[in-house]
Amino acid sequence: MDFKDSIRYIPLFKGLPDRQIEELSRIAIRYSFLKDRIIFSEGDEADGFYVLISGRVKIYKLSKEGKEQILHIVEAQEPFGEVPAFAGKRFPAHAEAIEDSITLFFPRDAIVQLIKNEPSLAMNMLALLSLRLRQFTVLVEDLSLKEVPQRLAAYILLIGEREKTDEIELNINKKQLASLLGTIPETMSRILGKMVAKGLIDVQGRRIKLIDKKALEELAYGAKLDI
């Protein structure tokens, strides 16, 4: 199967010449995962990394009690599992398809050899890893320093900014959103209801309309919300 068209539009490989895209297509392996299928588990050997072509994948940890903490929701064209793969270690978290998903898998040995031959690919990879480090730094800060209403307000604003709209649609269900923000669904629903009552947002299923962005920004940066 020819993967060149898929690879060409992946930000990680943006700007690479056709010759390098051709080489990447030769080492890529296509995998399909049905919804709820585990892609890899914590502790599995990281013998390569994945790029999501379609669908969605959650990266998460499980506590000893079985409580789930979502670390990241992978969207189309995003890589995942790349840090442990390049470090030659084991996956530090679980990955599960939350929709029917298609991925491209890049074996570690093959991609490392390609990077040795193509320094421009290494620069793309460094930029990606720097961005991922910043994302996880923000996640740790949010979970440790911010209360749940502040985390939720920041997330809503982030999605609105990314999609350039004041009417967003959540790409995950409320249970998954609660896990991503380090809380439980009941608390999440109560906070959403309070935000609606205060006139900050309007909620219809997964659709959220940002009504008072200034108040949301104040909440995201430390204002209190009585719940």
Side-chain angles (χ1 to χ4, degrees):
M1 182 178 180
D2 189 349
F3 302 133
K4 286 184 288 187
D5 287 340
S6 296
I7 292 172
R8 197 181 308 280
Y9 296 104
I10 295 170
L12 175 60
F13 306 129
K14 183 178 179 181
L16 295 180
D18 289 344
R19 173 177 52 81
Q20 293 179 23
I21 296 296
E22 178 72 36
E23 292 175 352
L24 285 165
S25 70
R26 284 199 293 265
I27 66 174
I29 304 170
R30 181 184 186 275
Y31 289 117
S32 297
F33 298 95
L34 296 177
K35 181 182 178 183
D36 299 328
R37 176 76 181 271
I38 298 295
I39 298 173
F40 57 74
S41 297
E42 182 177 354
D44 287 350
E45 183 180 355
D47 55 353
F49 72 94
Y50 298 82
V51 175
L52 185 64
I53 301 303
S54 64
R56 287 191 179 91
V57 169
K58 67 177 179 181
I59 309 297
Y60 65 99
K61 299 273 286 186
L62 288 175
S63 69
K64 292 181 179 179
E65 296 76 27
K67 182 180 178 181
E68 178 184 287
Q69 171 65 59
I70 295 179
L71 303 176
H72 185 58
I73 300 294
V74 183
E75 301 283 351
Q77 299 188 342
E78 276 191 77
F80 60 101
E82 71 283 358
V83 175
F86 281 100
K89 297 183 178 180
R90 297 182 180 274
F91 290 117
H94 306 272
E96 178 183 322
I98 57 176
E99 297 177 0
D100 292 350
S101 300
I102 296 173
T103 70
L104 292 181
F105 177 74
F106 295 88
R108 179 179 181 274
D109 291 345
I111 198 75
V112 166
Q113 185 59 49
L114 183 57
I115 287 175
K116 288 179 179 178
N117 297 332
E118 306 291 351
S120 56
L121 179 56
M123 295 303 296
N124 282 20
M125 185 65 68
L126 284 171
L128 171 76
L129 296 181
S130 297
L131 175 61
R132 191 61 53 87
L133 178 60
R134 289 198 297 272
Q135 289 174 339
F136 279 108
T137 299
V138 170
L139 174 64
V140 170
E141 179 182 290
D142 284 350
L143 291 178
S144 60
L145 300 179
K146 291 184 178 181
E147 297 181 353
V148 178
Q150 296 169 337
R151 296 177 217 157
L152 179 56
Y155 182 82
I156 291 172
L157 288 167
L158 176 64
I159 299 299
E161 180 180 344
R162 187 176 70 189
E163 298 182 0
K164 296 181 173 58
T165 179
D166 288 341
E167 294 191 29
I168 67 173
E169 183 165 359
L170 296 177
N171 56 12
I172 52 178
N173 61 42
K174 291 178 182 177
K175 180 179 179 181
Q176 293 164 341
L177 178 58
S179 176
L180 180 65
L181 298 181
T183 188
I184 59 176
E186 292 80 6
T187 299
M188 181 66 59
S189 295
R190 186 168 70 251
I191 294 171
L192 282 170
K194 180 61 71 171
M195 287 182 172
V196 171
K198 293 283 188 178
L200 277 63
I201 59 174
D202 181 57
V203 179
Q204 300 293 332
R206 291 195 183 189
R207 296 194 66 82
I208 298 178
K209 183 177 182 179
L210 285 62
I211 297 175
D212 191 339
K213 290 182 68 174
K214 182 178 179 181
L216 279 172
E217 289 168 354
E218 291 174 352
L219 177 59
Y221 289 103
K224 294 293 185 179
L225 180 72
D226 297 329
I227 57 172

